[in-house]
């Protein structure tokens, strides 16, 4: 089926009508997309009004789930124990972390759909994984004994008991590790970020 903005039927062919050149070949004039400013097709070839949301200029690398530009849709295929509810569904590329699998999908090398990684966010392959890493897995339930810290599952007992750990436990067991590491003066008190315990004690070695 054609895109709603396909106006090839009845297009005037330049060269055969109207230009006086007598050319037999000619080409189709540019035409306006019927969907107009509401067109959400990333690669739509037709002309759109200026207020239409444009394609993201960094779509091949954009991982910002809040990016307001258009992104390419990627079809998902479940892998392992991932719910079959994802089968056949499409997500926009900015909702996927940058992995080898994502690059393949955007390059047309995953015609059957990109499989969802069953190990993410604890995937040992990271960006080399050939499956999809969903940037925001809001539905993911972190085990009671773990905390999702910077994308990795870490046992709760490995963290210093501070404000950051309390916040993580109250917000879906997810948090970020403090960038200041062992030099943070509030690591074991009011720091709002997570700190890893040093083995054998409650010190601030990261």
């Amino acid at each position: 089926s054609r895109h709603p903005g396909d106006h090839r039927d009845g297009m005037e062919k330049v060269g055969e009508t109207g230009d006086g050149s007598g050319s037999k070949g000619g080409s189709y004039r540019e035409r306006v997309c019927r969907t107009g400013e509401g067109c959400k097709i990333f690669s739509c070839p037709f002309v759109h009004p200026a207020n239409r949301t444009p394609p993201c200029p960094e779509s091949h690398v954009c991982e910002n789930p809040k990016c307001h530009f258009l992104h390419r849709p990627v079809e998902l295929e479940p892998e392992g124990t991932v719910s079959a509810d994802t089968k056949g569904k499409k997500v926009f590329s900015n909702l996927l972390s940058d992995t080898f699998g994502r690059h393949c999908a955007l390059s047309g090398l995953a015609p059957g759909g990109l499989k969802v990684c069953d190990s993410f966010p604890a995937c040992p392959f990271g960006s080399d994984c050939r499956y999809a890493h969903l940037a925001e897995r809001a539905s993911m339930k972190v085990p009671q004994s773990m905390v999702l810290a910077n994308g990795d599952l870490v046992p709760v007992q490995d963290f210093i008991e501070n404000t950051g750990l309390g916040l993580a436990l109250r917000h879906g067991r997810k948090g970020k590790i403090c960038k200041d590491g062992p030099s943070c003066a509030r690591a074991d008190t009011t720091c709002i970020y997570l700190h890893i315990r040093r083995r054998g004690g409650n010190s601030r070695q990261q």
Side-chain angles (χ1 to χ4, degrees):
S1 60
R2 289 181 178 175
H3 176 268
D6 193 334
H7 288 260
R8 284 175 292 181
D9 292 337
M11 277 188 180
E12 180 182 355
K13 209 170 188 182
V14 178
E16 290 187 67
T17 60
D19 71 346
S21 68
S23 171
K24 295 289 185 179
S27 60
Y28 289 112
R29 294 182 187 274
E30 286 187 327
R31 301 304 291 260
V32 176
C33 175
R34 288 179 181 172
T35 311
E37 64 182 82
C39 180
K40 302 297 184 183
I41 296 181
F42 181 88
S43 56
C44 179
F46 299 101
V47 178
H48 301 87
N51 58 346
R52 179 232 185 185
T53 302
C56 178
E58 301 291 332
S59 64
H60 60 296
V61 293
C62 182
E63 299 179 56
N64 180 7
K66 296 182 180 180
C67 180
H68 63 278
F69 292 112
L70 296 179
H71 294 82
R72 295 182 183 277
V74 176
E75 185 172 346
L76 298 180
E77 183 75 15
E79 167 66 12
T81 59
V82 173
S83 172
D85 291 341
T86 61
K87 185 174 183 179
K89 289 188 176 181
K90 293 182 179 181
V91 297
F92 292 111
S93 58
N94 61 314
L95 300 180
L96 300 176
S97 296
D98 188 22
T99 63
F100 176 71
R102 180 179 184 268
H103 282 286
C104 288
L106 294 178
S107 301
L109 301 178
L114 183 61
K115 293 183 178 180
V116 177
C117 180
D118 191 38
S119 301
F120 184 74
C123 177
F125 299 103
S127 61
D128 292 328
C129 182
R130 55 196 180 101
Y131 300 136
H133 286 183
L134 297 178
E136 290 198 345
R137 289 177 83 172
S139 60
M140 177 183 176
K141 294 183 179 180
V142 180
Q144 289 293 313
S145 60
M146 310 291 281
V147 169
L148 184 64
N150 291 26
D152 295 320
L153 288 174
V154 182
V156 174
Q157 62 266 26
D158 286 0
F159 294 106
I160 294 174
E161 295 181 6
N162 66 354
T163 300
L165 179 60
L167 290 172
L169 296 178
R170 289 196 298 271
H171 294 86
R173 314 186 75 79
K174 301 174 185 178
K176 293 184 178 180
I177 293 177
C178 182
K179 294 181 179 179
D180 293 334
S183 64
C184 178
R186 299 180 299 160
D188 54 0
T189 54
T190 58
C191 181
I192 62 173
Y193 297 106
L194 298 169
H195 284 265
I196 302 290
R197 291 177 184 270
R198 182 169 57 186
R199 292 181 180 179
N202 189 31
S203 60
R204 292 169 277 182
Q205 180 177 349
Q206 302 290 314

